[in-house]
Amino acid sequence: MSTYTQEVGKKLNDLLEKTYDAEKGFKKAAENVDHAALKSYFNQKAQERYNFGHELKSELKAFNQDIDKGGSVTGTMHRAWMDVKSLFSADDEESMLEEAIRGEKASIDEYAEVLNETNLPSSTKSILATQKSTIENGLSNIKTLEDLR
């Protein structure tokens, strides 16, 4: 069985931090849209990320890793950018949806990077692969929301 190196623990904590950021960003987006299907989508994605965070925390704890708390500077800036964009954009729901798509694509890349780590235990690989797949499926399903605008 593989064990966690300090580097793997750091990568997973980075992923956990970004998961918290995504949850906060989706909650913020849900608060700022009127379109019922978009609001539902953003709330569902926030809950999904909340669940992802708990899975990641449990996995980190199982391997005696410290868990970083809080969000990243990038995530805070991203949410602030979404706030500003929603204030000045004529079509803010479309802008927030586009930003969500961009964020989801970045998440997929981040998961792929961590999954390429050769020292991951199989339980961690399984959790990450499932979460990555969920994000990918959500990204392909978002096309229906784009058509609703």
Side-chain angles (χ1 to χ4, degrees), residues 40-98:
S40 175
Y41 171 78
F42 288 139
N43 280 322
Q44 181 262 323
K45 296 304 282 184
Q47 183 62 49
E48 177 183 283
R49 287 315 201 288
Y50 174 83
N51 296 340
F52 284 5
H54 279 281
E55 289 175 352
L56 290 171
K57 279 186 355 189
S58 293
E59 189 70 3
L60 282 162
K61 285 179 185 175
F63 287 92
N64 299 315
Q65 294 294 302
D66 291 332
I67 296 171
D68 294 337
K69 305 243 186 240
S72 69
V73 173
T74 305
T76 303
M77 291 184 334
H78 180 76
R79 283 189 304 282
W81 180 89
M82 284 182 80
D83 288 344
V84 169
K85 192 159 187 166
S86 71
L87 287 173
F88 295 108
S89 175
D91 192 359
D92 55 10
E93 289 182 347
E94 181 178 347
S95 297
M96 282 189 273
L97 186 57
E98 288 170 3

Side-chain angles (χ1 to χ4, degrees), residues 73-127:
V73 173
T74 305
T76 303
M77 291 184 334
H78 180 76
R79 283 189 304 282
W81 180 89
M82 284 182 80
D83 288 344
V84 169
K85 192 159 187 166
S86 71
L87 287 173
F88 295 108
S89 175
D91 192 359
D92 55 10
E93 289 182 347
E94 181 178 347
S95 297
M96 282 189 273
L97 186 57
E98 288 170 3
E99 190 58 20
I101 290 169
R102 189 196 66 72
E104 291 294 81
K105 288 178 179 176
S107 291
I108 290 167
D109 291 344
E110 290 158 2
Y111 272 85
E113 183 181 318
V114 178
L115 280 164
N116 286 331
E117 175 65 48
T118 56
N119 295 328
L120 287 178
S122 59
S123 61
T124 305
K125 272 193 178 178
S126 177
I127 289 169

Side-chain angles (χ1 to χ4, degrees), residues 23-34 38-40 42-43 83 86 93 96:
E23 178 190 351
K24 291 174 193 169
F26 282 125
K27 281 182 181 175
K28 184 72 123 167
E31 292 168 6
N32 289 305
V33 296
D34 294 322
L38 269 181
K39 187 177 285 289
S40 175
F42 288 139
N43 280 322
D83 288 344
S86 71
E93 289 182 347
M96 282 189 273

